[in-house]
Amino acid sequence: MKLTVVPVTPDRWCDLEAVFNAKGCSVARGCWCMAYRRSGSRGQLPPGMTRAQANRAALKALVEGDNPPGLLGYRGKVPVGWVSVGPREEYAKLKRSPVMKPVDEQPVWSVICFVVPAAYRGQGVAQSLLKGAVAYAKARGATLVEGYPVDKPTRSNDDYMWFGAKSMYDNAGFKEVARRRPQRPVVRIKPA
């Protein structure tokens, strides 16, 4: 699928909501791609808010900031997917993750999460988002881009593939640099 992949900006917030609120994205609606941006205790929720509402508000605040927290993919004018990408240090949980902890001291940009509504899965949306994420990271000065895909011998439930499949990263030219759990490699690419 040919997509236009662009940074999420405040004027695209409604499109990001459309992706997260689409059929097949219930896991994303709980997290709003905030799980890896935090580490440790989640703290008190604002009065009257659910965890999902607080996560949504936190992502919206990031979108309204100076550094877009990810990219949206469009087919024409229709938003069909999201990828969370940014400098590794923006993802606090990665520091203490037994699977995704740093491989070395090199500065990297991390591709954390893909959200693709059920209607657009199996059409190359995530692959296009990954390509766009690498290009975006390079344009912002990244010399290494890292991912944390799932590598299973059989197909996984789509709802649990937010990290992406290793085969997708392989097809994009990423190389494995670590594997701390049998089905969870760490892969990298030097943007060309």
Side-chain angles (χ1 to χ4, degrees):
M1 177 184 289
K2 178 120 173 83
L3 297 185
T4 301
V5 179
V6 295
V8 65
T9 53
D11 59 313
R12 295 186 180 112
W13 174 253
C14 290
D15 292 341
L16 182 59
E17 283 186 306
V19 169
F20 277 68
N21 287 322
K23 183 178 180 185
C25 299
S26 61
V27 172
R29 278 193 298 280
C31 176
W32 287 88
C33 280
M34 292 305 297
Y36 283 86
R37 291 185 182 275
R38 299 184 178 124
S39 183
S41 174
R42 296 184 197 174
Q44 290 280 338
L45 287 172
M49 288 185 96
T50 65
R51 178 73 53 207
Q53 289 168 331
N55 287 339
R56 179 190 169 278
L59 181 59
K60 187 172 185 186
L62 289 175
V63 169
E64 291 171 349
D66 294 334
N67 297 315
L71 309 172
L72 282 168
Y74 290 86
R75 182 172 66 188
K77 294 185 179 189
V78 178
V80 297
W82 152 264
V83 60
S84 179
V85 59
R88 180 183 181 85
E89 56 271 12
E90 291 182 7
Y91 299 98
K93 192 171 183 177
L94 295 182
K95 292 176 191 165
R96 64 182 186 87
S97 168
V99 174
M100 298 176 275
K101 64 186 175 187
V103 172
D104 53 35
E105 297 300 316
Q106 295 187 72
V108 300
W109 275 52
S110 295
V111 176
I112 299 293
C113 183
F114 296 87
V115 179
V116 178
Y120 303 109
R121 293 181 187 152
Q123 300 173 38
V125 171
Q127 186 78 55
S128 292
L129 288 167
L130 180 58
K131 182 179 177 182
V134 171
Y136 177 74
K138 179 184 179 186
R140 301 289 297 256
T143 56
L144 285 173
V145 179
E146 193 169 83
Y148 317 96
V150 175
D151 186 17
K152 293 185 176 180
T154 58
R155 184 167 174 83
S156 293
N157 182 317
D158 287 344
D159 290 341
Y160 298 100
M161 290 299 293
W162 51 82
F163 291 115
K166 183 172 183 294
S167 59
M168 177 179 72
Y169 283 88
D170 292 343
N171 290 339
F174 282 74
K175 302 297 180 205
E176 186 171 327
V177 294
R179 187 178 291 247
R180 298 174 179 119
R181 296 254 167 91
Q183 299 175 346
R184 295 301 310 282
V186 176
V187 296
R188 282 185 178 170
I189 192 169
K190 291 182 180 183

